[in-house]
Amino acid sequence: MIQHQLYIDGAYTDSTGKDWIDVINPATEAVISRTPKATNADVDKAVQAAQKAQKAWELTPNRTRENRPQTWRQNRRQTREVYRFTAGRAGERLRSCER
């Protein structure tokens, strides 16, 4: 079973807590993965990282900002973990999501 981490400040990190949330496939009601339940400390760390990133983003030229979402979409499509997650949620074979 896939166990996810929190994504904070550009990196995957473990939660400071010990609680987990089951991710359930609605079609089969099977638990397909688990994700950590963020603590207040985790949220504070994420908010601080977002505020820091916002300052840099404000200084980014508009031309560069235009291209960022497309770059993120391209990178996301290339991540095998996303394919596996998509396939599981849709009830499809992994190969059909890799087109």
Side-chain angles (χ1 to χ4, degrees):
M1 177 181 313
I2 299 170
Q3 291 198 85
H4 300 281
Q5 292 179 297
L6 300 174
Y7 191 74
I8 299 174
D9 201 13
Y12 289 100
T13 184
D14 292 328
S15 174
T16 58
K18 296 181 188 208
D19 294 330
W20 291 84
I21 299 170
D22 290 338
V23 178
I24 298 171
N25 180 329
T28 64
E29 296 185 359
V31 176
I32 57 173
S33 66
R34 292 174 24 149
T35 190
K37 185 175 182 181
T39 64
N40 288 340
D42 297 328
V43 173
D44 289 344
K45 185 177 175 183
V47 168
Q48 289 171 2
Q51 288 171 338
K52 182 176 89 177
Q54 177 62 32
K55 290 176 187 173
W57 183 251
E58 288 172 0
L59 300 174
T60 303
N62 286 339
R63 289 270 186 213
T64 305
R65 287 187 195 191
E66 289 174 359
N67 296 326
R68 286 279 169 89
Q70 183 157 358
T71 302
W72 292 331
R73 279 192 298 274
Q74 290 168 349
N75 290 342
R76 190 175 61 224
R77 287 186 190 121
Q78 295 170 358
T79 304
R80 185 149 179 87
E81 181 178 317
V82 173
Y83 289 146
R84 188 173 30 227
F85 179 74
T86 302
R89 291 198 40 132
E92 296 177 348
R93 294 187 329 228
L94 182 59
R95 188 174 296 148
S96 68
C97 294
E98 292 181 332
R99 295 182 196 162

